[in-house]
Amino acid sequence: NLICFCIKKMSEEPMHRNLHPDLHPLLLEFHGVNGQPLRAVWHVWIEHCLDKVILEFEQDCLIAEAEPYDDTIVFHLASKNDLSRDGRKDVSSSEPWRSLIGETFGWGWITINQQDALDGILLSFGGITPQVMLSVMASSIKESIIHQAS
């Protein structure tokens, strides 16, 4: 009996393909703080809703904002020198941020719900495992700690 094996030559294309070109510009925002230590976290409240979470890193800030019209989340980079401190509350010493201050940003993910709305982001610090989820519900950002199953 003759046994034949087919060996397919690996493609010469680069390993970092752009699998979702429409999401790529958004995902690039995470690269701006990659490897930078988290220095502080700020909340901005409008009425009774958490409108913004500002993650202050060594050089820049990653700002997550609730879009109340459709309960989605938007995020972008900003220079920490350009931000006003008016109306911000320092929450660096509270959960879930207390243990993450000083840790370097690792990875960022976006979440899209069944209604095709970008309603959250996952964040990791000091590694690849996500530790925090920011999601928008009822026009307000909710912060959740992600626990790993044992």
Side-chain angles (χ1 to χ4, degrees), residues 2-138:
L2 179 61
I3 299 174
C4 294
F5 291 97
C6 291
I7 300 175
K8 184 177 179 182
K9 184 177 177 183
M10 293 295 288
S11 170
E12 297 296 326
E13 71 183 72
M15 292 297 292
H16 298 287
R17 298 176 311 203
N18 191 351
L19 299 177
H20 301 283
D22 50 331
L23 298 176
H24 190 69
L26 188 59
L27 294 168
L28 283 175
E29 296 293 323
F30 292 125
H31 290 268
V33 293
N34 193 38
Q36 290 187 39
L38 183 63
R39 296 294 183 212
V41 180
W42 306 87
H43 282 174
V44 176
W45 292 84
I46 295 181
E47 296 177 9
H48 299 290
C49 295
L50 179 53
D51 184 58
K52 291 182 189 174
V53 176
I54 302 168
L55 304 174
E56 182 179 319
F57 292 91
E58 188 92 348
Q59 299 165 358
D60 295 307
C61 292
L62 183 66
I63 303 171
E65 298 182 60
E67 285 291 331
Y69 174 73
D70 56 6
D71 281 347
T72 58
I73 196 165
V74 294
F75 59 97
H76 62 277
L77 285 176
S79 169
K80 71 179 192 177
N81 298 327
D82 295 339
L83 292 177
S84 167
R85 294 204 183 266
D86 294 340
R88 297 192 303 181
K89 180 182 178 197
D90 187 354
V91 295
S92 305
S93 61
S94 62
E95 290 299 328
W97 307 110
R98 174 186 356 213
S99 64
L100 301 174
I101 298 298
E103 295 289 329
T104 58
F105 182 79
W107 286 72
W109 295 261
I110 59 174
T111 64
I112 300 173
N113 67 26
Q114 73 273 15
Q115 295 176 332
D116 202 30
L118 194 158
D119 64 349
I121 58 176
L122 308 178
L123 305 169
S124 75
F125 297 87
I128 192 171
T129 305
Q131 294 126 313
V132 176
M133 178 173 68
L134 303 179
S135 55
V136 177
M137 291 178 264

